[in-house]
Amino acid sequence: MSHDHDHTAPPADIELRVKALESLLTEKGLIDPSALDELVDTYENRIGPRNGALVVAKAWADPEYKKRLLEDGTAAIAELGYSGVQGEDMVVVENTPTIHNMTVCTLCSCYPWPTLGLPPVWYKSAPYRSKVVIDPRGVLAEFGVSVPDSKEVRVWDSSAELRYLVLPERPAGTEGWSEEKLADLVTRDSMIGTGFPKSPSEIQ
Amino acid sequence: MNGVHDLGGMHGLGPIAPPAQEPVFAHEWERRAFAMFVPLFGAGCFNVDEFRHAIERMTPTHYLEGSYYEHWLHAFETLLVEKGYMGPNELDDYIAKFKEKM
Amino acid sequence: MPLVTKDLVPVIVKTGASARIAEDVAPSFNVGDKVRAKNINPLTHTRLPRYVRGKVGTVVLDHGVFVTPDTVAHGQGEHPQHVYNVAFGGDELWGGGASSKDKVYIDLWDDYLEKVEA
């Protein structure tokens, strides 16, 4: 079996290999292709960072919810209907004027699927995983953002079975906004900690 | 094991280069490879720790050069053979027959 | 074990498979304890990354009891034990040139840690 596969253009043999494996395992009665279809549809079309954005928006709008979210992330996230695979045990960490949080899994690519969907390629790749623990501010610079030296940067290496979601700071000028509208400000990267929410002017 | 997967603190692995937009899956085979995990786990073929360890045992060059779902494909093949769900050459033989039919 | 059919997918997706386990196991450490990550180099599976081995940090959270990947990966049982979040200063991990202000918070199993006497 050839191991010199290209990173960006998978050769035809991988496509064929996956197709053959699916067919062989179906014949063996180990998998059902219609279940695979359902899983693809779930994670490609139905579960994504909008879920996490709604969690963040509710925490911004509802102080009681925010308290529950920081005390027991799993239960508070489940209140909005998000739970399950790769989000079984959740911890939410709050950005403040003095603390900026970032998440990574240095050993593989653990990521909170129910709230953020499947991770982007860069999150799973060697450059991010190697660098963020030793040079978090350098990583932020690669994303075109920075935090002041006065802030503490906390990098959460979620290489055990807890999954982390960053609760970013609520942008100024959003007083009285609905949760739906607040959620439009919340980017995926702001919940990983490699970015910030949009400013009100960016969506109006 | 002190494997290549244990990346924290390494230097020189290149720029992160996050794209502005990217699809959830880049290729159809990635969809199918992704979707095999839950059913094989559910069927009791392996647990998540065995799965991660199978990825860690990849040769370092293959690990670093191979894309994410290639790691998964490698782990499926490794564990299905090790646990006796398929023979060591069964997939290759099946592919050979598959090609004849195509 | 059952074949995962299309009908089962939504249930599995929503439920998942938590590694948390309802076993009454005493913790070896308390929040606030100074701990050293053990310098171990097993040939087998572990979730103790090299960059924290031998380093001293502080326990900030006790997440409760979880199964242990080091044994589960090798068919050697669940070995339930506490998992803690431990904070390590940048200077402890990377030496004097690194900022002590920036920290890495990492979840580590009880077996990975030893107490550092104050």
Side-chain angles (χ1 to χ4, degrees), chain A residues 7 17 26 31 47 71 78 95 97-99 107 111 130 136 157 160 163 169 179 184 186 194 202:
Chain A
H7 190 111
R17 226 172 158 78
T26 303
I31 61 174
I47 297 181
E71 279 172 7
N95 285 352
T98 56
I99 296 166
L107 296 179
Y111 190 75
S130 58
D157 185 351
R163 298 289 167 267
E169 288 180 273
E179 288 176 26
D184 291 343
V186 183
T194 53
E202 283 178 81

mmCIF file of all heavy atoms in Angstrom, chain A residues 7 17 26 31 47 71 78 95 97-99 107 111 130 136 157 160 163 169 179 184 186 194 202:
data_model
loop_
_atom_site.group_PDB
_atom_site.id
_atom_site.type_symbol
_atom_site.label_atom_id
_atom_site.label_comp_id
_atom_site.label_asym_id
_atom_site.label_seq_id
_atom_site.Cartn_x
_atom_site.Cartn_y
_atom_site.Cartn_z
ATOM 1 N N HIS A 7 -1.157 15.864 0.093
ATOM 2 C CA HIS A 7 -1.985 16.519 1.098
ATOM 3 C C HIS A 7 -3.234 17.158 0.479
ATOM 4 O O HIS A 7 -4.325 17.068 1.007
ATOM 5 C CB HIS A 7 -1.118 17.595 1.755
ATOM 6 C CG HIS A 7 -1.718 18.197 2.967
ATOM 7 N ND1 HIS A 7 -1.215 18.001 4.219
ATOM 8 C CD2 HIS A 7 -2.786 18.995 3.110
ATOM 9 C CE1 HIS A 7 -1.950 18.639 5.094
ATOM 10 N NE2 HIS A 7 -2.904 19.256 4.457
ATOM 11 N N ARG A 17 -10.139 3.322 -2.425
ATOM 12 C CA ARG A 17 -9.952 2.565 -1.188
ATOM 13 C C ARG A 17 -11.135 2.778 -0.241
ATOM 14 O O ARG A 17 -11.644 1.828 0.358
ATOM 15 C CB ARG A 17 -8.673 3.065 -0.504
ATOM 16 C CG ARG A 17 -7.814 1.977 -0.042
ATOM 17 C CD ARG A 17 -6.475 2.297 0.463
ATOM 18 N NE ARG A 17 -6.129 1.165 1.282
ATOM 19 C CZ ARG A 17 -5.715 0.000 0.798
ATOM 20 N NH1 ARG A 17 -5.533 -0.168 -0.502
ATOM 21 N NH2 ARG A 17 -5.485 -1.004 1.610
ATOM 22 N N THR A 26 -20.082 -3.132 4.199
ATOM 23 C CA THR A 26 -21.527 -3.299 4.021
ATOM 24 C C THR A 26 -21.850 -4.774 3.781
ATOM 25 O O THR A 26 -22.774 -5.327 4.384
ATOM 26 C CB THR A 26 -22.016 -2.436 2.850
ATOM 27 O OG1 THR A 26 -21.662 -1.070 3.085
ATOM 28 C CG2 THR A 26 -23.533 -2.531 2.682
ATOM 29 N N ILE A 31 -21.677 -2.116 8.505
ATOM 30 C CA ILE A 31 -22.190 -0.753 8.329
ATOM 31 C C ILE A 31 -23.372 -0.756 7.360
ATOM 32 O O ILE A 31 -23.527 -1.684 6.551
ATOM 33 C CB ILE A 31 -21.107 0.232 7.808
ATOM 34 C CG1 ILE A 31 -20.574 -0.197 6.436
ATOM 35 C CG2 ILE A 31 -19.967 0.375 8.812
ATOM 36 C CD1 ILE A 31 -19.624 0.809 5.816
ATOM 37 N N ILE A 47 -25.415 20.569 11.841
ATOM 38 C CA ILE A 47 -24.697 20.939 13.058
ATOM 39 C C ILE A 47 -23.496 21.793 12.682
ATOM 40 O O ILE A 47 -22.640 21.347 11.925
ATOM 41 C CB ILE A 47 -24.234 19.683 13.837
ATOM 42 C CG1 ILE A 47 -25.452 18.879 14.299
ATOM 43 C CG2 ILE A 47 -23.377 20.091 15.043
ATOM 44 C CD1 ILE A 47 -25.115 17.627 15.091
ATOM 45 N N GLU A 71 -20.986 27.414 35.113
ATOM 46 C CA GLU A 71 -20.941 26.432 36.201
ATOM 47 C C GLU A 71 -21.036 25.000 35.676
ATOM 48 O O GLU A 71 -20.360 24.109 36.170
ATOM 49 C CB GLU A 71 -22.079 26.680 37.188
ATOM 50 C CG GLU A 71 -21.761 27.786 38.180
ATOM 51 C CD GLU A 71 -22.954 28.163 39.047
ATOM 52 O OE1 GLU A 71 -24.003 27.477 38.973
ATOM 53 O OE2 GLU A 71 -22.839 29.149 39.775
ATOM 54 N N ALA A 78 -27.129 21.921 26.783
ATOM 55 C CA ALA A 78 -28.231 20.992 26.492
ATOM 56 C C ALA A 78 -29.594 21.674 26.602
ATOM 57 O O ALA A 78 -30.555 21.246 25.957
ATOM 58 C CB ALA A 78 -28.157 19.777 27.419
ATOM 59 N N ASN A 95 -13.976 34.904 28.246
ATOM 60 C CA ASN A 95 -13.046 36.017 28.023
ATOM 61 C C ASN A 95 -13.497 37.215 28.839
ATOM 62 O O ASN A 95 -14.696 37.490 28.943
ATOM 63 C CB ASN A 95 -13.016 36.403 26.538
ATOM 64 C CG ASN A 95 -12.240 35.406 25.702
ATOM 65 O OD1 ASN A 95 -11.590 34.499 26.229
ATOM 66 N ND2 ASN A 95 -12.301 35.575 24.391
ATOM 67 N N PRO A 97 -11.987 41.371 30.408
ATOM 68 C CA PRO A 97 -11.004 42.432 30.099
ATOM 69 C C PRO A 97 -9.566 42.042 30.439
ATOM 70 O O PRO A 97 -8.623 42.653 29.928
ATOM 71 C CB PRO A 97 -11.483 43.602 30.969
ATOM 72 C CG PRO A 97 -12.962 43.368 31.102
ATOM 73 C CD PRO A 97 -13.119 41.889 31.197
ATOM 74 N N THR A 98 -9.368 41.021 31.276
ATOM 75 C CA THR A 98 -7.994 40.649 31.654
ATOM 76 C C THR A 98 -7.572 39.264 31.175
ATOM 77 O O THR A 98 -6.418 38.884 31.334
ATOM 78 C CB THR A 98 -7.824 40.688 33.198
ATOM 79 O OG1 THR A 98 -8.813 39.824 33.775
ATOM 80 C CG2 THR A 98 -7.995 42.098 33.731
ATOM 81 N N ILE A 99 -8.504 38.487 30.587
ATOM 82 C CA ILE A 99 -8.184 37.106 30.183
ATOM 83 C C ILE A 99 -8.689 36.830 28.770
ATOM 84 O O ILE A 99 -9.838 37.119 28.444
ATOM 85 C CB ILE A 99 -8.833 36.088 31.152
ATOM 86 C CG1 ILE A 99 -8.241 36.222 32.570
ATOM 87 C CG2 ILE A 99 -8.648 34.653 30.652
ATOM 88 C CD1 ILE A 99 -9.058 35.512 33.623
ATOM 89 N N LEU A 107 -2.748 16.711 20.760
ATOM 90 C CA LEU A 107 -2.494 15.293 20.461
ATOM 91 C C LEU A 107 -3.315 14.758 19.293
ATOM 92 O O LEU A 107 -2.929 13.769 18.676
ATOM 93 C CB LEU A 107 -2.771 14.438 21.699
ATOM 94 C CG LEU A 107 -1.853 14.703 22.899
ATOM 95 C CD1 LEU A 107 -2.255 13.808 24.070
ATOM 96 C CD2 LEU A 107 -0.389 14.445 22.541
ATOM 97 N N TYR A 111 -12.571 18.582 19.500
ATOM 98 C CA TYR A 111 -13.274 19.831 19.156
ATOM 99 C C TYR A 111 -14.725 19.632 19.543
ATOM 100 O O TYR A 111 -15.249 18.513 19.428
ATOM 101 C CB TYR A 111 -13.127 19.998 17.647
ATOM 102 C CG TYR A 111 -13.538 21.307 17.012
ATOM 103 C CD1 TYR A 111 -12.754 22.445 17.137
ATOM 104 C CD2 TYR A 111 -14.678 21.380 16.226
ATOM 105 C CE1 TYR A 111 -13.103 23.630 16.489
ATOM 106 C CE2 TYR A 111 -15.033 22.563 15.575
ATOM 107 C CZ TYR A 111 -14.236 23.690 15.713
ATOM 108 O OH TYR A 111 -14.577 24.849 15.066
ATOM 109 N N SER A 130 1.012 22.592 16.997
ATOM 110 C CA SER A 130 2.361 22.695 17.568
ATOM 111 C C SER A 130 2.602 24.077 18.167
ATOM 112 O O SER A 130 3.221 24.209 19.212
ATOM 113 C CB SER A 130 3.407 22.396 16.488
ATOM 114 O OG SER A 130 3.269 23.301 15.393
ATOM 115 N N PRO A 136 1.198 31.471 21.681
ATOM 116 C CA PRO A 136 -0.212 31.796 21.374
ATOM 117 C C PRO A 136 -0.369 33.164 20.715
ATOM 118 O O PRO A 136 -1.225 33.341 19.848
ATOM 119 C CB PRO A 136 -0.888 31.752 22.747
ATOM 120 C CG PRO A 136 0.208 31.854 23.762
ATOM 121 C CD PRO A 136 1.419 31.235 23.122
ATOM 122 N N ASP A 157 -5.607 23.064 26.355
ATOM 123 C CA ASP A 157 -5.262 21.891 25.540
ATOM 124 C C ASP A 157 -6.227 20.774 25.920
ATOM 125 O O ASP A 157 -6.063 20.096 26.928
ATOM 126 C CB ASP A 157 -3.805 21.482 25.805
ATOM 127 C CG ASP A 157 -3.345 20.351 24.896
ATOM 128 O OD1 ASP A 157 -4.194 19.771 24.182
ATOM 129 O OD2 ASP A 157 -2.134 20.039 24.901
ATOM 130 N N ALA A 160 -7.843 15.621 26.802
ATOM 131 C CA ALA A 160 -8.575 14.571 27.521
ATOM 132 C C ALA A 160 -9.994 14.516 26.952
ATOM 133 O O ALA A 160 -10.182 14.775 25.762
ATOM 134 C CB ALA A 160 -8.558 14.856 29.016
ATOM 135 N N ARG A 163 -14.475 18.984 26.468
ATOM 136 C CA ARG A 163 -14.395 19.848 25.287
ATOM 137 C C ARG A 163 -14.685 21.279 25.725
ATOM 138 O O ARG A 163 -15.568 21.505 26.574
ATOM 139 C CB ARG A 163 -15.397 19.405 24.220
ATOM 140 C CG ARG A 163 -15.132 17.999 23.711
ATOM 141 C CD ARG A 163 -13.877 17.919 22.846
ATOM 142 N NE ARG A 163 -13.466 16.544 22.610
ATOM 143 C CZ ARG A 163 -12.586 15.865 23.354
ATOM 144 N NH1 ARG A 163 -11.994 16.473 24.386
ATOM 145 N NH2 ARG A 163 -12.273 14.624 23.100
ATOM 146 N N GLU A 169 -16.146 38.144 24.675
ATOM 147 C CA GLU A 169 -16.746 39.334 25.282
ATOM 148 C C GLU A 169 -17.795 39.915 24.339
ATOM 149 O O GLU A 169 -17.607 39.953 23.121
ATOM 150 C CB GLU A 169 -15.669 40.384 25.547
ATOM 151 C CG GLU A 169 -14.740 40.038 26.694
ATOM 152 C CD GLU A 169 -13.701 41.130 26.910
ATOM 153 O OE1 GLU A 169 -12.642 41.088 26.257
ATOM 154 O OE2 GLU A 169 -13.968 42.036 27.718
ATOM 155 N N GLU A 179 -31.399 37.948 20.947
ATOM 156 C CA GLU A 179 -30.404 36.869 20.905
ATOM 157 C C GLU A 179 -30.079 36.485 19.461
ATOM 158 O O GLU A 179 -28.919 36.216 19.127
ATOM 159 C CB GLU A 179 -30.911 35.646 21.685
ATOM 160 C CG GLU A 179 -30.906 35.892 23.192
ATOM 161 C CD GLU A 179 -31.484 34.746 23.999
ATOM 162 O OE1 GLU A 179 -31.448 33.591 23.532
ATOM 163 O OE2 GLU A 179 -31.988 35.005 25.108
ATOM 164 N N ASP A 184 -25.590 36.738 15.316
ATOM 165 C CA ASP A 184 -24.969 37.058 14.023
ATOM 166 C C ASP A 184 -23.562 37.644 14.177
ATOM 167 O O ASP A 184 -22.790 37.670 13.220
ATOM 168 C CB ASP A 184 -25.847 38.056 13.249
ATOM 169 C CG ASP A 184 -27.157 37.429 12.791
ATOM 170 O OD1 ASP A 184 -27.247 36.179 12.786
ATOM 171 O OD2 ASP A 184 -28.085 38.183 12.461
ATOM 172 N N VAL A 186 -21.390 36.442 16.369
ATOM 173 C CA VAL A 186 -20.489 35.438 16.954
ATOM 174 C C VAL A 186 -19.883 34.564 15.861
ATOM 175 O O VAL A 186 -20.583 33.791 15.213
ATOM 176 C CB VAL A 186 -21.252 34.556 17.974
ATOM 177 C CG1 VAL A 186 -20.292 33.580 18.633
ATOM 178 C CG2 VAL A 186 -21.948 35.418 19.015
ATOM 179 N N THR A 194 -9.323 32.215 18.375
ATOM 180 C CA THR A 194 -8.399 32.740 17.360
ATOM 181 C C THR A 194 -8.981 33.970 16.673
ATOM 182 O O THR A 194 -8.438 34.445 15.677
ATOM 183 C CB THR A 194 -8.093 31.671 16.295
ATOM 184 O OG1 THR A 194 -9.339 31.180 15.776
ATOM 185 C CG2 THR A 194 -7.315 30.511 16.889
ATOM 186 N N GLU A 202 -20.285 45.744 11.318
ATOM 187 C CA GLU A 202 -20.024 44.751 10.269
ATOM 188 C C GLU A 202 -21.284 44.028 9.801
ATOM 189 O O GLU A 202 -21.281 43.407 8.734
ATOM 190 C CB GLU A 202 -19.025 43.698 10.770
ATOM 191 C CG GLU A 202 -17.588 44.164 10.800
ATOM 192 C CD GLU A 202 -16.658 43.094 11.340
ATOM 193 O OE1 GLU A 202 -16.290 42.185 10.573
ATOM 194 O OE2 GLU A 202 -16.320 43.153 12.543
#
